């Protein structure tokens, strides 16, 4: 805890520079007055009532506070006017000085201030008495001349007193304080004038009849009560007004960062204290706050005069704690105040529900004879209640603002924050420097959610976020903008440097990561876009980084910079979504058929059914494009059903013509996730009367691997129907051949990338050889797609591959052209199972 700074040094020494001359002037004047007019016994007796009167009038004081100084406005000028008239000069000085001395001792002020107040009063009265000595008064008649002399003498005493005070304050606390004191003192001059008039009225009444003193005493007592009541009423009214203004200001500032500035200065002024402190306990990401307003400083200080024991008592009891001479219930805490040289203190806990989140404190009531009272505690409690609400509102607004710009799970900035950061970054263009956006798409997040639960998936994301944050370069902004998408943005020398950074980060990110009891290898695809090459606004840059990340998923090195071709293809896919729905509604998609041939005897045993679409505006649409659109728009099931129905219709027609060709239809793993699909197949087989053994469903190996546990039930149900199942694109996934024993499949279809390269690449040749050998060991039929050369055909025959498919035999053809091809390129051949079509020659 930072304690309050030590008081300014040298102030007491400078005060004595004024006190000594004033005291010397008072002593010399008193001696002169004693010699000139020594008091008699009757005068000493008369001085006693004046001494008592002075003690009484000093008890009721109106206080005006200027900085750290309290100005007392009393009715002491009334008895002073009478003393000037009735007492010898030396007794006036002694009576007034003695009364002030007694009052200062009772108030326990410091010696410096005590002697200054005594000497300035004595010096001021001496100056006034010199004026009266120059214009002597008639002790019997109180005529207008006497009124003028007494009034002038009282004004002289007032002026001398005020000038002395302004001078000493200028020396001790600076010229500004002295000017403020002089200005405030002059503002009380009308009160002095009223006191002079009242004193002269009393003088006239006493001169007329000495018994009027009794009536005057009753009048004075009544006036004192009225003034006391009025002062209390005025104080309460002013306090209520100031509390209202303060709460309004606090409410207006609620939710902003300037609350301490608005609150503390006003609280210090309202409570007339030397210090007002706001302390907030550390809470979550909010650090401890300790700010104090002090009368001598315009700004806020990180200090607190409040003893730790007092604050801890208020926090532990969750109730107001006031320590001072007027609070007997906290006597045990007063030693803590004395050790810190604090006169009195009030500490109010700031409560949020049942918890104390901080305190509002005031210390050292300004004024030597003034201390905090119970009413002050109630006022501060009211203010503290509003302050607590304001603090909670401020933190709530800050929390909402933080939540609006941060991901709740990982604590990273979110998409909105990235957009704002990029908006700022692109406004500053630096030569030979780009603003780089790297989007990391985490692979396998959905699999973790489905196999281990969302808690494990969330842990994977948190671990990934921590790792990306740890490997990101200094100055980079790391954010999470989607379910499994993270963005790193920074300034880089060029796009090539950005790709190098992305590649390096991706490699470091690929290390094993513990999720629950499992250790996973996390793989990511990284899309890269840069400003200004790939866009000028944040949304475009992020969108193009996402396009690049999607393209990077099929790349072995996993990093793809944006290219305009990616966007044109994506835009084209988006534009054909509605047209695809209309095409399906109107049967505008056509099914092509590509023959499948046995390599040993060149028999055409079946066809693969392939969807083709000629768009009226865009022309022929690539199958991968409209299939992707169908997947993302929920039309894949209709597309699959359309192809299957067309294939079954042709299969039925061939069977009726005694040419039993089998058909093969591609299936997406997403289609297999639909538990209703096997039942649909059964219904369509029954409807067209097709033998299930003539139907083969080809499922891509990568798609099957991503959802193997979920698609297995549908695979088994399809197998039980009697249809054949084939693993398409085999070899492009990450599976082991041992998986083939666990899957209910009948056929393996080697991906064309290996088949086409086997004639020139020994690696591809070895892969094809291994797939054929092990598949035959498992009792699976092997189909090679992409057969385009005689050499490839010969190699496949040597290895024992059973079926081939490719341009060497035929391209995919519409039904009419397929019929023409069959008539031109095949001839009927009788077999024990019936007539088949045999190729005449391979051209």
């Amino acid at each position: 805890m930072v304690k309050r700074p030590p008081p300014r040094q040298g102030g007491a020494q400078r005060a004595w520079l004024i006190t000594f001359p004033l005291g010397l002037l008072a002593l010399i004047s008193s001696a002169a007055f004693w010699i000139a007019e020594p008091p008699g016994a009757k005068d000493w007796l008369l001085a006693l009532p004046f001494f008592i009167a002075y003690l009484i009038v000093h008890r009721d004081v109106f206080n005006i506070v200027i900085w750290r100084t309290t100005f007392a406005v009393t009715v002491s000028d009334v008895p002073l006017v009478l003393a000037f008239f009735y007492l010898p000069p030396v007794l006036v000085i002694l009576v007034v000085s003695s009364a002030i001395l007694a009052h200062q001792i009772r108030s326990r002020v410091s010696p410096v201030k005590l002697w200054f107040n005594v000497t300035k009063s004595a010096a001021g009265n001496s100056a006034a008495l010199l004026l009266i000595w120059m214009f002597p008064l008639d002790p019997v008649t109180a005529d207008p001349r006497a009124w003028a002399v007494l009034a002038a003498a009282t004004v002289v005493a007032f002026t001398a007193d005020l000038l002395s005070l302004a001078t000493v304050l200028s020396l001790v606390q600076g010229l500004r304080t002295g000017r403020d004191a002089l200005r405030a003192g002059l503002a009380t001059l009308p009160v002095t004038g009223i006191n002079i008039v009242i004193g002269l009225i009393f003088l006239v009444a006493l001169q007329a009849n000495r018994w009027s003193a009794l009536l005057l005493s009753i009048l004075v007592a009544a006036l004192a009560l009225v003034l006391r009541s009025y002062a209390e009423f005025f104080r309460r009214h002013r306090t209520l007004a100031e509390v209202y203004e303060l709460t309004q200001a606090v409410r207006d500032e609620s939710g902003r960062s300037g609350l301490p500035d608005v609150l503390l200065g006003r609280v210090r002024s309202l409570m007339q204290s030397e210090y007002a402190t706001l302390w907030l306990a550390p809470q979550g990401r909010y650090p401890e706050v300790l700010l104090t307003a002090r009368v001598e400083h315009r700004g806020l200080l990180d200090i607190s005069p409040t003893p730790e024991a007092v604050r801890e008592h208020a926090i532990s009891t969750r109730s107001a704690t006031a320590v001072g001479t007027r609070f007997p219930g906290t006597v045990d805490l007063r030693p803590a105040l004395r050790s810190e040289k604090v006169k009195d203190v009030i500490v109010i806990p700031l409560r949020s529900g049942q918890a104390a989140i901080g305190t509002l404190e005031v210390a050292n009531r300004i004024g030597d004879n003034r201390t905090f009272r119970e009413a002050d505690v109630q006022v501060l409690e009211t203010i503290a209640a509003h302050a607590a609400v304001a603090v909670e509102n401020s933190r709530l607004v800050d929390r909402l603002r933080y939540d609006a710009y941060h991901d709740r799970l990982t604590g990273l900035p979110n998409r909105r924050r990235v957009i704002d950061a990029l908006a700022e970054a692109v406004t500053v263009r630096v030569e030979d420097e780009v603003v780089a956006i790297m989007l990391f798409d985490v692979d396998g997040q959905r699999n973790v959610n489905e196999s281990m639960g969302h808690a494990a998936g969330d842990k994977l994301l948190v671990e990934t976020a921590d790792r990306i944050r740890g490997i990101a370069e200094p100055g980079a902004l790391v954010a999470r903008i989607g379910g499994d998408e993270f963005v790193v943005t920074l300034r880089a020398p060029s796009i090539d440097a950005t790709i190098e950074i992305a590649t390096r980060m991706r490699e470091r990110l690929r290390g094993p990561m513990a999720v629950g009891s499992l250790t996973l290898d996390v793989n990511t695809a990284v899309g890269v876009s840069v400003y200004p090459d790939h866009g000028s606004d944040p949304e475009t840059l992020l969108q193009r980084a996402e396009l690049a990340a999607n393209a990077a998923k099929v790349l072995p090195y996993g990093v793809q910079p944006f290219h305009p071709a990616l966007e044109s293809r994506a835009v084209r896919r988006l534009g054909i979504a509605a047209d695809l729905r209309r095409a399906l509604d109107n049967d505008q998609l056509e099914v092509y058929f590509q023959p499948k041939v046995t390599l040993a005897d060149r028999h055409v045993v079946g066809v693969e059914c392939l969807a083709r679409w000629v768009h009226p505006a865009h022309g022929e649409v690539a199958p991968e494009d409209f299939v992707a659109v169908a997947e993302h728009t929920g039309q894949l099931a209709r597309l699959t059903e359309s192809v299957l129905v067309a294939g079954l219709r042709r299969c039925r027609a061939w069977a009726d013509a005694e040419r039993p060709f089998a058909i093969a239809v591609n299936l997406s793993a997403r289609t297999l996730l639909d538990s209703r699909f096997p039942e649909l197949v059964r219904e369509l087989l029954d409807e067209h009367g097709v033998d299930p053994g003539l139907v083969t469903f080809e499922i891509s190996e990568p798609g099957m691997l991503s959802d193997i546990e979920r698609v297995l039930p549908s695979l088994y149900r399809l197998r039980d129907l009697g249809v054949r199942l084939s693993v398409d694109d085999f070899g492009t996934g990450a599976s082991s051949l041992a998986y083939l024993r666990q899957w209910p499949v009948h056929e393996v279809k080697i991906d064309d990338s290996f088949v086409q390269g086997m004639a020139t690449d020994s690696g591809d040749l070895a892969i094809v050889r291994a797939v054929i050998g092990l598949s035959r060991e498992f009792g699976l039929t092997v189909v090679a797609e992409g057969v385009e050369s005689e050499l490839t055909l010969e190699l496949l025959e040597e290895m024992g591959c059973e079926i081939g498919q490719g341009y060497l035999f035929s391209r995919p053809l519409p039904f009419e052209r397929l019929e023409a091809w069959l008539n031109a390129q095949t001839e009927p051949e009788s077999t024990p199972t019936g007539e088949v079509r045999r190729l005449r020659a391979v051209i």
Side-chain angles (χ1 to χ4, degrees):
M1 180 65 66
V2 181
K3 294 300 180 182
R4 63 172 180 169
R8 296 176 58 180
Q9 300 297 322
Q13 288 79 355
R14 286 192 290 270
W16 285 110
L17 294 176
I18 303 299
T19 303
F20 278 130
L22 292 177
L24 184 61
L25 174 62
L27 285 175
I28 295 174
S29 300
S30 298
F33 290 138
W34 184 282
I35 295 171
E37 188 178 352
K42 184 180 179 181
D43 295 326
W44 287 100
L45 291 175
L46 186 59
L48 182 58
F50 281 97
F51 177 74
I52 295 172
Y54 264 99
L55 289 178
I56 293 173
V57 296
H58 276 291
R59 292 184 51 143
D60 292 306
V61 181
F62 295 99
N63 293 282
I64 299 176
V65 180
I66 301 296
W67 294 93
R68 297 188 64 187
T69 303
T70 301
F71 297 92
V73 179
T74 70
V75 294
S76 57
D77 294 321
V78 174
L80 183 63
V81 171
L82 299 176
F84 282 156
F85 187 83
Y86 287 112
L87 293 179
V90 68
L91 284 184
V92 173
I93 297 173
L94 288 176
V95 166
V96 175
S97 300
S98 299
I100 293 176
L101 179 62
H103 176 71
Q104 297 289 303
I105 292 174
R106 185 176 63 85
S107 300
R108 298 180 181 178
V109 300
S110 63
V112 174
K113 185 176 290 188
L114 182 149
W115 290 113
F116 170 76
N117 288 332
V118 171
T119 56
K120 76 177 176 62
S121 175
N125 290 333
S126 298
L129 290 167
L130 286 174
L131 177 63
I132 296 174
W133 180 75
M134 293 172 60
F135 301 94
L137 300 175
D138 184 352
V140 177
T141 304
D143 54 10
R145 177 182 176 279
W147 300 351
V149 172
L150 291 174
T154 306
V155 171
V156 168
F158 168 84
T159 304
D161 190 281
L162 179 59
L163 291 176
S164 300
L165 180 61
T167 303
V168 78
L169 288 177
S170 298
L171 286 175
V172 174
Q173 298 183 14
L175 289 175
R176 181 181 176 185
T177 305
R179 287 196 302 268
D180 291 340
L182 186 61
R183 188 179 302 112
L186 291 175
T188 64
L189 185 58
V191 177
T192 300
I194 294 172
N195 287 337
I196 293 173
V197 172
I198 294 173
L200 292 175
I201 292 173
F202 284 12
L203 176 61
V204 172
L206 289 171
Q207 286 294 97
N209 189 337
R210 297 300 176 114
W211 287 103
S212 62
L214 181 59
L215 297 177
L216 292 175
S217 300
I218 297 173
L219 178 61
V220 168
L223 288 175
L225 291 175
V226 171
L227 287 174
R228 187 189 296 270
S229 300
Y230 174 77
E232 183 65 19
F233 171 79
F234 180 77
R235 185 191 67 80
R236 291 180 180 179
H237 181 272
R238 186 185 62 183
T239 300
L240 287 175
E242 292 181 357
V243 168
Y244 175 77
E245 293 177 359
L246 191 152
T247 54
Q248 286 290 102
V250 168
R251 187 186 66 181
D252 294 341
E253 194 63 27
S254 181
R256 305 177 192 171
S257 59
L259 176 63
D261 299 276
V262 171
L263 175 67
L264 294 178
R266 291 172 177 262
V267 169
R268 191 211 58 74
S269 176
L270 173 62
M271 302 301 295
Q272 297 183 13
S273 60
E274 182 180 356
Y275 296 94
T277 300
L278 175 66
W279 175 77
L280 299 176
Q283 183 181 13
R285 62 186 182 87
Y286 299 106
E288 180 183 22
V289 174
L290 178 67
L291 295 172
T292 297
R294 190 182 182 189
V295 289
E296 292 180 344
H297 297 80
R298 289 191 176 275
L300 299 181
L301 309 175
D302 56 347
I303 64 171
S304 174
T306 305
E308 193 69 27
V310 178
R311 180 180 295 125
E312 289 178 356
H313 182 273
I315 294 295
S316 61
T317 60
R318 293 198 298 273
S319 61
T321 299
V323 185
T325 56
R326 297 201 180 190
F327 304 104
T330 55
V331 176
D332 56 326
L333 293 175
R334 291 182 188 176
L337 263 63
R338 287 194 291 270
S339 64
E340 299 295 335
K341 297 182 179 179
V342 176
K343 179 175 64 173
D344 48 6
V345 65
I346 302 175
V347 179
I348 308 295
L350 302 180
R351 289 188 289 269
S352 175
Q354 296 299 318
I357 61 173
T359 58
L360 183 62
E361 309 163 3
V362 290
N364 283 0
R365 183 68 176 267
I366 293 177
D368 298 324
N369 61 334
R370 305 183 69 213
T371 61
F372 292 122
R373 302 180 300 171
E374 195 64 40
D376 297 316
V377 177
Q378 296 173 1
V379 170
L380 195 59
E381 282 184 313
T382 302
I383 299 171
H386 289 275
V389 173
V391 169
E392 282 296 284
N393 288 344
S394 177
R395 288 185 171 181
L396 176 61
V397 170
D398 180 66
R399 188 158 54 248
L400 292 174
R401 187 180 295 116
Y402 180 88
D403 291 343
Y405 286 94
H406 288 81
D407 173 53
R408 185 178 296 273
L409 177 64
T410 63
L412 293 176
N414 59 13
R415 188 183 194 94
R416 181 183 296 179
R417 178 68 184 91
V418 171
I419 293 292
D420 290 350
L422 288 176
E424 295 178 7
V426 299
T427 58
V428 180
R429 186 167 181 176
V430 181
E431 189 175 355
D432 298 329
E433 191 174 79
V434 298
V435 178
I437 296 93
M438 296 173 286
L439 190 146
F440 291 77
D441 192 315
V442 181
D443 187 28
Q445 161 69 15
R446 189 177 68 177
N447 293 335
V448 174
N449 284 341
E450 294 172 352
S451 60
M452 302 177 63
H454 285 276
D458 290 346
K459 184 175 181 182
L460 173 64
L461 291 175
V462 172
E463 293 287 341
T464 304
D466 291 341
R467 185 169 293 185
I468 293 178
R469 189 160 37 197
I471 64 178
E473 297 196 353
L477 174 66
V478 180
R480 180 190 177 205
I481 65 169
D484 55 2
E485 292 180 336
F486 296 85
V487 161
V488 178
T489 176
L490 73 165
R491 289 190 176 271
S494 64
I495 186 171
D496 292 334
T498 304
I499 295 173
E500 291 179 7
I501 295 171
T503 304
R504 185 167 60 250
M505 290 182 64
R506 180 178 179 271
E507 290 302 316
R508 294 180 63 185
L509 192 60
R510 291 183 64 183
M513 187 175 298
V515 179
S517 59
L518 298 180
T519 300
L520 305 178
D521 286 327
V522 177
N523 194 20
T524 56
V526 187
V528 175
S529 66
V530 299
Y531 166 82
D533 298 356
H534 299 149
S536 58
D537 63 276
E539 290 286 359
T540 301
L541 291 168
L542 275 181
Q543 176 193 1
R544 291 176 173 175
E546 289 181 282
L547 288 173
N550 289 331
K553 293 178 181 179
V554 299
L555 301 178
Y557 48 86
V559 178
Q560 172 67 54
F562 172 77
H563 188 274
L566 298 175
E567 186 172 48
S568 62
R569 187 172 184 180
V571 171
R572 186 182 180 191
R573 285 183 176 181
L574 183 63
I576 65 176
D579 297 332
L580 177 61
R581 182 177 290 104
R582 285 191 292 270
L584 289 171
D585 292 337
N586 301 324
D587 293 327
Q588 294 176 353
L589 268 69
E590 190 173 358
V591 177
Y592 280 39
F593 304 90
Q594 186 174 27
K596 299 171 74 172
V597 180
T598 58
L599 302 186
D601 49 19
R602 303 297 195 271
H603 289 166
V604 179
V605 293
V607 293
E608 181 178 0
C609 303
L610 301 167
R612 294 293 183 266
W613 182 27
V614 179
H615 192 278
H618 300 294
E620 186 173 348
V621 181
E624 58 267 25
D625 284 345
F626 68 77
V627 170
V629 170
E631 284 187 334
H632 285 87
T633 58
Q635 302 180 74
L636 185 60
R638 292 187 61 198
L639 177 61
T640 303
E641 182 179 354
S642 176
V643 175
L644 179 57
V645 167
L648 290 174
R649 186 183 304 119
R650 300 305 177 187
C651 186
R652 178 70 265 171
W654 286 321
D656 292 340
E658 297 183 352
R659 289 189 296 178
F661 288 154
I663 62 169
V665 177
N666 289 298
L667 285 187
S668 167
R670 183 170 296 183
T671 302
L672 291 171
L673 293 176
D674 185 355
S675 60
R676 299 169 296 178
F677 180 72
E679 182 62 23
L680 174 65
V681 172
R682 186 190 63 78
E683 293 174 358
L684 292 176
L685 288 173
D686 293 342
E687 178 182 343
H688 292 88
V690 174
D691 181 3
L694 294 177
V695 178
T696 300
F697 287 115
E698 298 180 358
I699 305 102
S700 173
E701 181 204 12
M704 188 184 298
L705 284 173
S706 64
D707 286 291
I708 185 61
E709 297 297 332
R710 300 173 65 192
V711 303
L712 273 177
S714 294
L715 290 176
Y716 280 110
R717 290 175 63 191
L718 289 172
R719 184 198 64 178
D720 294 341
L721 289 177
V723 300
R724 293 174 56 82
L725 300 175
S726 175
V727 180
D728 197 7
D729 302 325
F730 192 83
T732 59
S735 65
S736 165
L737 288 173
Y739 280 116
L740 294 177
R741 300 191 64 182
Q742 303 173 19
W743 298 340
V745 297
H746 308 84
E747 179 181 287
V748 171
K749 197 170 187 180
I750 306 174
D751 188 69
D752 58 359
S753 62
F754 300 112
V755 174
Q756 292 173 2
M758 60 184 290
T760 56
D761 190 303
S762 59
D764 289 344
L765 181 64
I767 290 174
V768 174
R769 189 186 305 277
V771 172
I772 293 174
L774 289 176
S775 296
R776 296 187 64 181
E777 287 293 328
F778 293 152
L780 303 175
T781 301
V782 181
V783 179
E785 60 180 346
V787 180
E788 297 182 358
S789 69
E790 287 285 352
L791 179 57
T792 299
L793 180 61
E794 293 174 3
L795 290 173
L796 290 171
E797 284 187 85
E798 292 176 4
M799 296 178 191
C801 182
E802 296 161 286
I803 299 175
Q805 177 183 344
Y807 286 2
L808 180 64
F809 306 122
S810 173
R811 293 173 176 271
L813 301 171
F815 178 72
E816 292 76 10
R817 290 181 58 189
L818 176 66
E819 288 293 321
W821 179 84
L822 287 172
N823 292 329
Q825 301 297 331
T826 67
E827 59 186 15
E829 180 177 308
S830 297
T831 65
T833 59
E835 181 182 301
V836 296
R837 307 298 294 189
R838 184 180 186 277
L839 286 179
R840 289 193 175 95
V842 177
I843 299 177

